[in-house]
Amino acid sequence: SNDKIKKRQNGYNYIQEKQKQHLPSYDEIYEETPLTEAFWTYLNYVILNLFGWFRDLLRKFRIETRKGSAEDNPPGFVSLYQSYESFYTRNVYGRIADCFNRPIASVPGGEVTLLDRVTDDYNWSFRYTKDTIRAINLGSYNYLGFADNNGKCSQNVLEIIPKLGVSTASSTQEFGTLSLHRKLESLLARFLGTEEAIAFGMGFATNALNIPSIVGKGCLILSDELNHTSLVLGARLSGATIKIFKHNDMASLERKLRESIVNGQPRHHRPWRKILIIVEGVYSMEGSLCKLPDLIRLKKKYKAYLYLDEAHSIGAMGARGRGVIDYWNCDPNDVDVLMGTFTKSFAAAGGYIAGKKELVDHIRVTSHAAVYATSMSPPVVEQIISVLNFLLDENENSEGRKRIAQLAWNTRYFRERLSKMGFIVYGHPHSPVVPALLYSPSKIAAFNREMLKRGVAVVTVGFPATPLVLGRVRFCLSAAHTKEMLDKVLNIAEEVGDLLNMRLSKLNPKRSFQEIQNEDNDELKSNI
Amino acid sequence: MLLSSMSSVDIESLATDFYGLIQSFYHAPLYHIILEILLFFAVMWLLFFRKPRPIEKKLTEKEKQELIDEWQPEPLVPTVDPNHPALNVRILDGPVGKYITIDNEQSLNFASLNFLNFVGNERIQSKSIQAVQKYGVGSCGPRGFYGTIDIHLELEERLARFFGCEEGIIYSYGFSTIASIIPAYSKRNDVIFVDEGVHYAIQKGIEASRSNIKWFKHNDLDDLERLLIEQENLDKKNIKKARATRRFLIVEGLYMNYGDLCPLPRMVELKYKYKYRIFIDESVSFGTIGQTGRGITEYYNIDRQQIDLISSTLEYAAGSIGGFAVGSSFVVDHQRLSAQGYCFSASLPPLLAAAAIEALNIMEENSDLFETLMYKSEQLHNKLIAIKGYIIQGDYLSPLKHIRLPNEFNTTGRLESIVHFAQTKHITITVARYLQDEHVLPQPSIRLILNVDITEEEMDFLCAVLQEALVVTI
């Protein structure tokens, strides 16, 4: 029994937790915005706008000096930037610019070292002091904790650099394909359960430049409201017609599918050449999961094709770490195009596309990366191969399994505690991306700064990445976080949450962390 | 009209009762009565005798379901020829430096864009190893969210200092550097003048920007002037619109598809005359042209303040991965919030940034590397011209040359057999590869790249092999 308490305190609770069946579920709760918060947020924006106009007026009449880079439009030239575009940047973003682009000076692991910077002129420019700040890192996408400078993966990478160099300086079709690249692709196909896979050097470019090879004019793309910019850019560059359905709303998707097939292409009503549904596995701003079983059912019913972007979910979801397909227990052959990135769970860089052999062959032939882009850097490929080897190890006690279980436990623990404490949390209960709502831009800045003062580095986002009223803080959990670190973060979040009056949930009225902790310990003692 | 002919009669009393109405009928002019009778018959016809147009009935649920069941999509991807070169690439073992190992045989590498032979360089590798020991491999985040590492800031500062510009910005992929920069500045109603021979990444960037594109013939300044004058005339017609339309000129320093330099001085003159901004893509000319490798602006002795933005890639001369842009702070800073490939993508892995910084160190310490490269390019050019039977395209100073066979003989098949023959003699060259949807597909050619460490004997050997290949294949 002491053993059990110790296991729980260390976080390696997976043996005990496995007894409880954590079945995949659909329950995602999105609590309504409290009316008072909406009011204060709009008022916040109105005040910011008023001050913004006033300051712009002062700057126009040179009463206030123009800080930042001097206006460089030579006489007679059309000005390079529209004045409205930069209004938001100057007057809203500029006030909170110190919360973004923070430089780090260490491995982006569970804890990170930030460079201390101060601004002498209200965020127009920054000066680095010689100090550093050590903080718990809830901002980097390091889901499985493989961002490490002295683990087995790094050892392999250090050995490969003298053998193969850092770059190949050739494109894949010319002399850039090493046997290492082929090894990566076959391991990846084995990991995902597909026939073949192909890897690229950048995740953004994978989406933006390969969607045009799959669909073209005369095709229809049905894309989720909250899809990432790379998917939107790829869809636009392809020339296909794009229709957007409400986020995760299967009824809306089905309606659009039916309408589109019945009406055909606009104007001349010829039938569509193909229909491609583009969704993501885990949406990074909402923390929600896509409803994969429903999507596969719809896709089969209407003969459409499914493109699944697993940027955030590969490695992070599923009992074996194979993404949302693993989580929902679906067949990888049902999804036509599996795409993902290596930046998040694999702590490397790049993207991949996997699927049937015909698809991958077609992409090899028509993709920009084959002909124009330099092939992937060998040390980065070696890092991915090492991580894949860990994850492919089916042994229960292997490093890969331990990390996956640790992440799953961290996710459940953190989300449960955060909601019970009264924060309004969005998203799926099993997703490692945890957004807690802040609503107004001032709170975004305040939360960020207060947490950093107390030693926790978080990411807070507002408009335009989120809707206007729904600014939020987004915690990215990692297998590198221990239970102690999470408890510390929760305590600090409680303190800051009270300072900013954030704990406004009506579903879970606010309670203190200590209270919940005591309750939990009592329960544990009674269960033994 | 009815009442006007009866001005003498009291109008009021006529209109108020039925008797008055009949009275007015008697007083109406004849043409009016005939018109009214005709109208009456027309209305009768419309109401009762015209065939009604059938209104399209909405589809029933059953019909909709039939349509849905009948619809057949195309297969996801078309079938691909299994003999396509992309599916049968040569797989190498070992670093792709001056020598490469194919099938356990070493051959001289004239195919990789490894101009300064930094692939396999010991100094660069040891700095990368140090970076891995400090930072790990990945940066695990975009620049805005804890993905900015101090080594990125150092690299940006060093690049800006190298070029003598105010600010630099780095990207994590060479291809998406220029492809993200162009849409950040040029929007839907702007005009871009671009050379026909630019490479694919620039074409993708222009496509993503949705601006009006005006292509001018490769390196043809007269054609460019003609387009500029046309645009000026358009502007005079609509001055208000002209004040809101930005103009850009996009050229490359050294063209990848042609190997020749762009006539920059005249373009800068025209810039002040016609008021456009210049973006130069120096992917190939960075680290190869100019006394100290600072690119085409150094070669022509043009003040870099006059160029709005210089972009390049770290993948060719610098031997790392990624891309960068340098310019004045006013221009470059905009990209930090508007360039999609910068904001929404993970940052460059620190080991590659360390490799690039060390490459810059080497470039600054050994500035005679560039003179050597230019000298050897000229040497190679003279030797290649001396071989009868090939057409050489490329500036004599450029380390990148395109070799073609004369006229009708120039087919991809023949060039491939020359490449194949050269491989048997342990010389690796390659046919330049393009995608079919390039704007102007260049003629098939062999792309030859000169590595700065190639000796004169090796150049002679190359020429001898090329000469022999002609005899054997034709």
Side-chain angles (χ1 to χ4, degrees):
Chain A
S1 57
N2 272 338
D3 214 22
K4 271 189 188 163
I5 298 184
K6 211 168 157 192
K7 274 209 169 95
R8 180 116 194 205
Q9 283 170 349
N10 283 341
Y12 275 93
N13 198 17
Y14 57 93
I15 297 175
Q16 197 180 8
E17 294 281 301
K18 246 182 67 163
Q19 266 103 52
K20 299 190 210 156
Q21 282 294 324
H22 284 283
L23 293 166
S25 68
Y26 272 154
D27 36 80
E28 296 179 8
I29 306 174
Y30 296 94
E31 202 177 317
E32 242 184 65
T33 314
L35 217 51
T36 49
E37 277 309 300
F39 172 70
W40 289 121
T41 308
Y42 281 124
L43 188 63
N44 199 333
Y45 274 109
V46 164
I47 295 179
L48 281 170
N49 265 318
L50 285 175
F51 270 94
W53 286 321
F54 181 58
R55 297 287 283 275
D56 272 351
L57 205 65
L58 291 180
R59 281 187 208 119
K60 188 170 166 197
F61 291 122
R62 313 270 171 182
I63 300 174
E64 186 179 326
T65 50
R66 270 175 218 213
K67 297 201 182 93
S69 46
E71 268 239 22
D72 214 357
N73 284 314
F77 280 73
V78 180
S79 97
L80 197 53
Y81 311 120
Q82 273 182 328
S83 54
Y84 185 69
E85 258 172 42
S86 3
F87 176 84
Y88 186 81
T89 315
R90 272 197 304 273
N91 300 306
V92 183
Y93 176 80
R95 290 175 186 273
I96 58 178
D98 64 319
C99 301
F100 304 105
N101 293 306
R102 289 210 175 104
I104 67 178
S106 73
V107 182
E111 285 198 352
V112 74
T113 311
L114 298 169
L115 289 181
D116 189 22
R117 58 182 187 171
V118 291
T119 171
D120 298 319
D121 49 7
Y122 301 103
N123 293 345
W124 286 102
S125 65
F126 294 100
R127 188 172 44 91
Y128 295 100
T129 67
K130 295 293 174 226
D131 299 322
T132 55
I133 305 172
R134 188 87 183 145
I136 299 179
N137 185 5
L138 285 169
S140 296
Y141 301 137
N142 179 22
Y143 299 125
L144 290 176
F146 280 114
D148 198 1
N149 56 350
N150 47 20
K152 177 126 193 327
C153 299
S154 312
Q155 290 301 338
N156 291 346
V157 169
L158 290 174
E159 280 167 26
I160 261 279
I161 294 183
K163 276 195 223 153
L164 290 177
V166 162
S167 161
T168 57
S170 300
S171 65
T172 330
Q173 234 182 63
E174 292 170 12
F175 289 92
T177 311
L178 304 171
S179 54
L180 199 68
H181 293 115
R182 284 281 183 261
K183 187 171 162 202
L184 167 66
E185 290 171 2
S186 64
L187 267 181
L188 195 57
R190 219 179 94 200
F191 178 68
L192 295 167
T194 59
E195 278 180 22
E196 271 193 35
I198 174 175
F200 302 93
M202 184 190 192
F204 186 95
T206 308
N207 273 330
L209 298 163
N210 289 314
I211 295 183
S213 1
I214 304 178
V215 286
K217 271 200 167 53
C219 303
L220 174 67
I221 294 183
L222 286 161
S223 115
D224 190 293
E225 222 179 3
L226 298 180
N227 270 341
H228 190 253
T229 314
S230 55
L231 293 165
V232 171
L233 183 62
R236 252 190 36 201
L237 282 177
S238 68
T241 314
I242 308 175
K243 288 200 183 155
I244 301 185
F245 63 92
K246 281 202 179 25
H247 176 57
N248 262 351
D249 187 347
M250 295 298 114
S252 158
L253 174 60
E254 180 157 14
R255 218 178 25 245
K256 287 212 166 10
L257 268 170
R258 290 185 78 88
E259 263 172 38
S260 313
I261 300 180
V262 163
N263 290 333
Q265 296 188 32
R267 296 195 306 128
H268 48 76
H269 298 290
R270 288 202 195 99
W272 295 104
R273 284 174 45 205
K274 12 183 163 142
I275 299 186
L276 185 68
I277 306 175
I278 303 187
V279 285
E280 288 189 40
V282 167
Y283 291 89
S284 58
M285 282 301 156
E286 292 281 298
S288 53
L289 250 61
C290 71
K291 299 190 170 129
L292 199 59
D294 278 342
L295 279 166
I296 293 183
R297 183 183 52 85
L298 276 179
K299 161 201 114 95
K300 285 187 173 156
K301 184 172 169 193
Y302 295 100
K303 297 177 239 148
Y305 298 113
L306 186 59
Y307 184 106
L308 181 64
D309 178 344
E310 292 210 79
H312 285 267
S313 52
I314 190 74
M317 306 281 318
R320 298 178 308 154
R322 295 172 197 216
V324 279
I325 299 186
D326 193 20
Y327 178 78
W328 290 114
N329 286 320
C330 296
D331 181 10
N333 291 320
D334 282 335
V335 179
D336 300 287
V337 188
L338 275 153
M339 180 266 166
T341 61
F342 298 123
T343 332
K344 282 98 187 176
S345 307
F346 293 85
Y352 67 85
I353 287 195
K356 297 230 160 29
K357 185 169 188 319
E358 296 88 52
L359 170 72
V360 175
D361 279 347
H362 174 79
I363 295 207
R364 268 192 225 285
V365 166
T366 58
S367 165
H368 75 290
V371 185
Y372 298 107
T374 315
S375 52
M376 284 173 84
S377 162
V380 171
V381 175
E382 184 59 36
Q383 161 85 1
I384 304 170
I385 292 179
S386 311
V387 172
L388 275 174
N389 279 328
F390 274 129
L391 291 175
L392 275 169
D393 193 346
E394 295 282 342
N395 192 348
E396 272 303 325
N397 285 324
S398 69
E399 187 66 25
R401 285 280 177 276
K402 277 196 204 151
R403 286 179 193 249
I404 296 171
Q406 177 72 50
L407 177 65
W409 190 90
N410 281 355
T411 308
R412 281 194 286 270
Y413 179 69
F414 193 78
R415 270 183 174 271
E416 193 196 309
R417 286 294 153 90
L418 208 60
S419 322
K420 276 195 183 153
M421 277 164 52
F423 288 91
I424 302 182
V425 176
Y426 274 11
H428 195 275
H430 297 152
S431 97
V433 173
V434 187
L437 275 264
L438 285 165
Y439 302 107
S440 83
S442 321
K443 283 196 190 173
I444 290 171
F447 192 83
N448 204 316
R449 290 175 191 147
E450 293 297 320
M451 292 292 268
L452 190 61
K453 266 193 226 163
R454 293 166 173 79
V456 179
V458 292
V459 163
T460 51
V461 276
F463 184 78
T466 62
L468 195 68
V469 201
L470 299 174
R472 61 197 67 176
V473 55
R474 188 185 67 174
F475 299 105
C476 287
L477 299 170
S478 157
H481 295 135
T482 60
K483 181 174 183 292
E484 284 77 45
M485 290 160 97
L486 292 180
D487 283 340
K488 184 167 168 208
V489 170
L490 286 165
N491 264 318
I492 295 176
E494 182 184 354
E495 201 184 315
V496 178
D498 278 334
L499 197 64
L500 295 178
N501 192 22
M502 262 176 75
R503 294 157 69 190
L504 303 159
S505 172
K506 294 210 175 64
L507 292 175
N508 298 313
K510 77 174 187 189
R511 299 160 66 190
S512 86
F513 177 65
Q514 204 48 49
E515 194 188 317
I516 306 174
Q517 185 82 309
N518 294 339
E519 207 178 84
D520 217 31
N521 282 336
D522 292 335
E523 200 184 297
L524 200 61
K525 286 204 189 92
S526 68
N527 278 347
I528 297 167
Chain B
M1 291 124 343
L2 182 62
L3 307 173
S4 59
S5 57
M6 318 178 317
S7 50
S8 53
V9 186
D10 190 356
I11 298 167
E12 296 273 305
S13 60
L14 264 184
T16 45
D17 58 11
F18 188 68
Y19 179 64
L21 217 54
I22 306 287
Q23 278 272 313
S24 60
F25 189 71
Y26 287 133
H27 289 103
L30 188 61
Y31 68 86
H32 191 96
I33 296 179
I34 294 178
L35 191 62
E36 294 236 10
I37 294 175
L38 282 175
L39 274 173
F40 176 72
F41 278 121
V43 167
M44 288 290 116
W45 177 75
L46 273 173
L47 276 178
F48 299 116
F49 296 107
R50 193 176 63 128
K51 288 215 172 32
R53 253 221 315 243
I55 307 169
E56 233 182 67
K57 275 185 10 195
K58 282 200 174 152
L59 294 171
T60 60
E61 280 307 312
K62 183 161 165 291
E63 286 171 336
K64 284 188 183 169
Q65 191 58 45
E66 266 177 26
L67 279 172
I68 291 176
D69 291 333
E70 270 174 18
W71 179 68
Q72 281 298 337
E74 278 180 9
L76 183 60
V77 287
T79 43
V80 160
D81 175 21
N83 294 325
H84 195 281
L87 299 174
N88 301 305
V89 283
R90 267 176 280 244
I91 300 183
L92 312 174
D93 269 306
V96 187
K98 182 177 162 191
Y99 294 101
I100 57 178
T101 320
I102 304 182
D103 297 333
N104 289 325
E105 286 179 354
Q106 223 188 32
S107 52
L108 260 181
N109 185 0
F110 284 97
S112 310
L113 288 128
N114 183 15
F115 301 115
L116 299 175
N117 203 15
F118 283 158
V119 174
N121 184 301
E122 297 271 318
R123 273 174 67 173
I124 292 183
Q125 284 176 358
S126 72
K127 276 286 174 352
S128 306
I129 290 178
Q130 279 176 21
V132 173
Q133 283 165 339
K134 184 172 178 198
Y135 299 107
V137 175
S139 56
C140 293
R143 290 291 292 256
F145 302 146
Y146 305 105
T148 307
I149 307 185
D150 49 2
I151 211 168
H152 294 143
L153 300 174
E154 197 188 324
L155 178 58
E156 286 179 357
E157 203 203 342
R158 287 296 301 277
L159 283 166
R161 222 185 325 146
F162 183 75
F163 279 95
C165 290
E166 277 179 6
E167 202 171 321
I169 180 173
I170 52 179
Y171 288 79
S172 52
Y173 199 49
F175 190 94
S176 43
T177 306
I178 192 67
S180 307
I181 287 178
I182 299 175
Y185 295 101
S186 183
K187 308 285 181 193
R188 205 180 263 272
N189 293 322
D190 300 330
V191 178
I192 303 184
F193 299 99
V194 60
D195 190 301
E196 267 181 356
V198 289
H199 66 266
Y200 196 69
I202 299 183
Q203 293 172 31
K204 284 287 140 189
I206 296 176
E207 218 180 293
S209 74
R210 292 185 173 172
S211 314
N212 293 331
I213 305 170
K214 312 254 190 258
W215 301 93
F216 63 91
K217 295 203 185 45
H218 178 59
N219 272 352
D220 186 347
L221 283 167
D222 298 320
D223 205 26
L224 173 62
E225 274 211 71
R226 176 184 63 88
L227 286 171
L228 287 167
I229 293 174
E230 254 177 51
Q231 180 66 32
E232 209 183 20
N233 292 338
L234 267 174
D235 288 343
K236 290 201 184 109
K237 287 185 197 146
N238 190 344
I239 297 187
K240 191 162 173 218
K241 187 174 166 201
R243 276 207 213 112
T245 313
R246 289 166 226 140
R247 299 117 220 271
F248 299 95
L249 175 72
I250 301 183
V251 285
E252 280 181 59
L254 189 68
Y255 288 90
M256 173 93 136
N257 293 348
Y258 295 91
D260 48 9
L261 300 168
C262 94
L264 199 53
R266 181 89 182 107
M267 286 177 178
V268 175
E269 268 176 42
L270 290 174
K271 166 183 170 170
Y272 290 103
K273 184 170 171 200
Y274 292 98
K275 314 270 187 261
Y276 54 74
R277 297 180 193 265
I278 304 188
F279 288 177
I280 309 183
D281 182 68
E282 295 218 55
S283 303
V284 184
S285 52
F286 167 61
T288 54
I289 303 284
Q291 283 297 94
T292 55
R294 283 167 167 82
I296 197 167
T297 46
E298 191 182 18
Y299 178 71
Y300 283 121
N301 231 329
I302 295 176
D303 180 14
R304 244 162 257 129
Q305 313 302 329
Q306 294 183 323
I307 309 288
D308 294 274
L309 193 73
I310 298 178
S311 82
S312 176
T313 170
L314 293 167
E315 294 174 3
Y316 302 150
S320 176
I321 302 268
F324 67 91
V326 288
S328 64
S329 288
F330 175 70
V331 178
V332 169
D333 213 36
H334 179 72
Q335 286 170 47
R336 292 197 198 274
L337 285 176
S338 324
Q340 293 188 338
Y342 179 82
C343 304
F344 296 105
S345 170
S347 51
L348 189 63
L351 69 105
L352 297 168
I357 295 179
E358 192 58 22
L360 269 181
N361 285 340
I362 300 180
M363 278 164 53
E364 282 177 354
E365 284 164 23
N366 314 359
S367 53
D368 51 323
L369 261 179
F370 309 106
E371 280 190 41
T372 319
L373 184 61
M374 287 203 283
Y375 173 69
K376 286 190 179 171
S377 307
E378 202 174 333
Q379 244 187 348
L380 182 61
H381 195 89
N382 293 333
K383 288 189 207 285
L384 284 171
I385 303 182
I387 309 176
K388 292 212 178 1
Y390 284 116
I391 302 181
I392 313 289
Q393 187 183 36
D395 199 273
Y396 65 94
L397 277 181
S398 119
L400 183 151
K401 300 182 201 301
H402 284 265
I403 300 181
R404 296 193 172 90
L405 293 168
N407 308 330
E408 327 72 60
F409 293 115
N410 193 35
T411 61
T412 316
R414 287 217 180 82
L415 293 172
E416 289 279 5
S417 51
I418 296 181
V419 166
H420 194 75
F421 176 77
Q423 188 60 49
T424 58
K425 299 282 177 188
H426 303 292
I427 294 261
T428 304
I429 45 179
T430 180
V431 175
R433 304 239 184 258
Y434 306 103
L435 280 179
Q436 286 310 315
D437 58 336
E438 285 244 10
H439 187 249
V440 169
L441 195 64
Q443 296 290 321
S445 67
I446 294 181
R447 188 197 296 132
L448 203 69
I449 310 282
L450 181 67
N451 187 320
V452 76
D453 284 339
I454 298 273
T455 61
E456 199 173 335
E457 292 86 37
E458 286 161 347
M459 282 195 242
D460 286 327
F461 182 44
L462 167 72
C463 296
V465 169
L466 284 173
Q467 183 102 49
E468 225 184 301
L470 263 183
V471 170
V472 170
T473 55
I474 297 184

